[in-house]
Amino acid sequence: MAGKNKLTFLGKNKIKCPVCLEHFQKEELLTGGGRMIAGPLTDELRREYEPSKKYGEVFPLVYSVMVCPHCFYAAYPQDFPNVPESSLDNIKNDHILRANTMKKLIPDLNFENNRRLQEGVASYHLASMCYELLPKDFSPTFKMAMSVLRAAWLSTNLHKKYPGENWDYMREIYYHKANFLYSLVLEKEVSGAESLGGVTNFGPCSDKNFGYDGVLYLSGLLEYKFGGQGDRQRRLASLQSARQSISRIVGLGKSSKSKPSDILEMARDLHKSIGSLLKELEDGE
């Protein structure tokens, strides 16, 4: 974005894609000078930002994922250059699938220009496709979960701007997938199938790391909001499991550096809400 009131700049050093070996420049967000005015934290642990008179709207999440504009390989910066040999061929061979999938969703997609909300959604969709092909030491299930949740958030912003373009439909798809994946993260962590030990930032937003408590909270919240409604007994079992996860956050009920008061209060409210819904479902038998 050129001009005096620019929000972003292109990184000076070109990045070599480890998959197709092409070079590209990454767009970076400038953060000073009143560009980012922090707003409220939503119940989904998303930090919202107020538009400024000088710079307008800013969505920091749009810039978090590195995407090769040539083969559409996408990953978070710490993982991007480190594709293992065991995954390289699969990621290479899937480049046409990635390109076709994104072009159907966003026909004018272009990662060589300044990113819009559309490229933000696409970056997370592409990341979820690529992490599915990476081994367990990358904690791929967690990174897929966080990616599709962020895609849901940006789809919400797109729906507000372009209500006739079916972004609300995409938002629901992403939320339901996030619900499934956050539950799967906990299952795999408990069974030992996939560790979270290598994850340094659990997000889910770019401004704050809520750690493992954030994973527990979101798995419960997403089940409460987006859990399947068809099978009543399965719904009861899923909600009971979600409530147990939230109980692990509430614990002794004291905030600390590792358990900030904002997530603790949200967890308490969610624990009560799930309890009320369980009672309603059980009384309806």
Side-chain angles (χ1 to χ4, degrees), residues 73-259:
Y73 162 58
Y76 291 100
Q78 69 272 21
D79 297 325
F80 188 87
N82 302 317
V83 182
E85 285 292 329
S86 60
S87 300
L88 196 54
D89 284 345
N90 286 336
I91 294 176
K92 277 182 182 178
N93 294 338
D94 264 12
H95 77 281
I96 293 175
L97 173 63
R98 290 194 296 275
N100 288 343
T101 299
M102 288 295 95
K103 289 295 183 181
K104 286 178 183 176
L105 180 62
I106 307 168
D108 62 344
L109 184 70
N110 191 333
F111 280 101
E112 294 187 279
N113 292 336
N114 294 111
R115 289 191 189 188
R116 305 164 298 166
L117 282 165
Q118 289 89 335
E119 278 76 27
V121 171
S123 72
Y124 290 112
H125 193 124
L126 289 166
S128 71
M129 293 177 75
C130 292
Y131 276 110
E132 195 167 9
L133 302 173
L134 289 171
K136 65 179 183 180
D137 51 315
F138 280 76
S139 302
T141 307
F142 166 72
K143 288 167 186 172
M144 289 166 63
M146 187 169 68
S147 294
V148 294
L149 177 61
R150 289 178 172 186
W153 290 346
L154 295 181
S155 295
T156 300
N157 295 121
L158 275 166
H159 177 61
K160 288 177 182 176
K161 284 179 171 292
Y162 312 108
E165 294 188 3
N166 296 321
W167 286 105
D168 53 338
Y169 172 73
M170 292 306 303
R171 174 185 63 198
E172 293 304 304
I173 290 175
Y174 288 133
Y175 269 128
H176 284 284
K177 190 167 184 181
N179 177 37
F180 168 75
L181 286 168
Y182 267 99
S183 294
L184 190 59
V185 168
L186 296 183
E187 287 177 23
K188 287 189 173 185
E189 199 265 340
V190 170
S191 69
E194 192 177 304
S195 171
L196 295 175
V199 178
T200 55
N201 192 337
F202 289 88
C205 207
S206 55
D207 80 317
K208 192 164 185 178
N209 180 6
F210 282 97
Y212 187 65
D213 279 348
V215 178
L216 291 172
Y217 172 80
L218 284 169
S219 69
L221 180 72
L222 291 168
E223 179 57 40
Y224 175 69
K225 284 185 170 183
F226 302 102
Q229 306 291 326
D231 186 320
R232 192 161 169 278
Q233 290 305 314
R234 183 176 293 179
R235 175 70 167 151
L236 280 166
S238 297
L239 285 170
Q240 286 163 352
S241 177
R243 197 176 187 219
Q244 287 174 358
S245 295
I246 300 303
S247 295
R248 293 167 65 183
I249 304 172
V250 175
L252 297 174
K254 294 181 180 179
S255 62
S256 64
K257 283 187 178 179
S258 63
K259 200 186 299 288

